[in-house]
């Protein structure tokens, strides 16, 4: 039931995105000269924010993977005893 609802919601989001793709395009200011300093600065800012976000999310993922591995080791040791 939940799977079907999630698939339906994801499908609706995809359809809305495809139907309204012209609205999601940037304004003329965003599509300025690609070699201007403001465009290069914005690209650098976006890449740095993506790097920081990816690093933090990767850290959380590694913590949870390490906890899962430790729990498996503990469960295996308890089953032997």
């Amino acid at each position: 039931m939940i799977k079907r609802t999630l698939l339906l919601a994801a499908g609706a989001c995809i359809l809305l995105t495809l139907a309204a793709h012209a609205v999601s395009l940037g304004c003329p200011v965003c599509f300025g000269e690609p070699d201007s300093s403001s465009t290069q600065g914005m690209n650098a800012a976006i890449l740095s924010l993506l790097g920081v976000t990816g690093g933090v999310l990767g850290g959380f993922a590694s913590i949870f993977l390490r906890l899962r591995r430790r729990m498996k080791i503990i469960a295996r040791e308890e089953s032997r005893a």
Side-chain angles (χ1 to χ4, degrees), residues 5-19:
T5 306
L6 287 175
L7 286 174
L8 186 62
C13 288
I14 290 171
L15 286 176
L16 284 173
T17 302
L18 291 175

Side-chain angles (χ1 to χ4, degrees), residues 44-63:
I46 290 169
L47 288 176
S48 65
L49 285 173
L50 284 173
V52 168
T53 304
V56 170
L57 290 176
F60 278 123
S62 67
I63 289 170

Side-chain angles (χ1 to χ4, degrees):
M1 180 72 176
I2 293 175
K3 249 185 186 180
R4 183 178 176 158
T5 306
L6 287 175
L7 286 174
L8 186 62
C13 288
I14 290 171
L15 286 176
L16 284 173
T17 302
L18 291 175
H21 72 281
V23 176
S24 64
L25 294 176
C27 62
V29 173
C30 297
F31 288 123
E33 185 178 342
D35 295 331
S36 71
S37 62
S38 63
T39 304
Q40 292 174 355
M42 187 62 70
N43 287 338
I46 290 169
L47 288 176
S48 65
L49 285 173
L50 284 173
V52 168
T53 304
V56 170
L57 290 176
F60 278 123
S62 67
I63 289 170
F64 287 116
L65 290 174
R66 177 178 276 179
L67 288 174
R68 188 177 91 180
R69 185 177 41 170
R70 285 185 180 181
M71 290 301 294
K72 284 183 179 181
I73 291 170
I74 291 171
R76 193 178 320 133
E77 289 176 359
E78 286 180 353
S79 67
R80 288 182 187 170

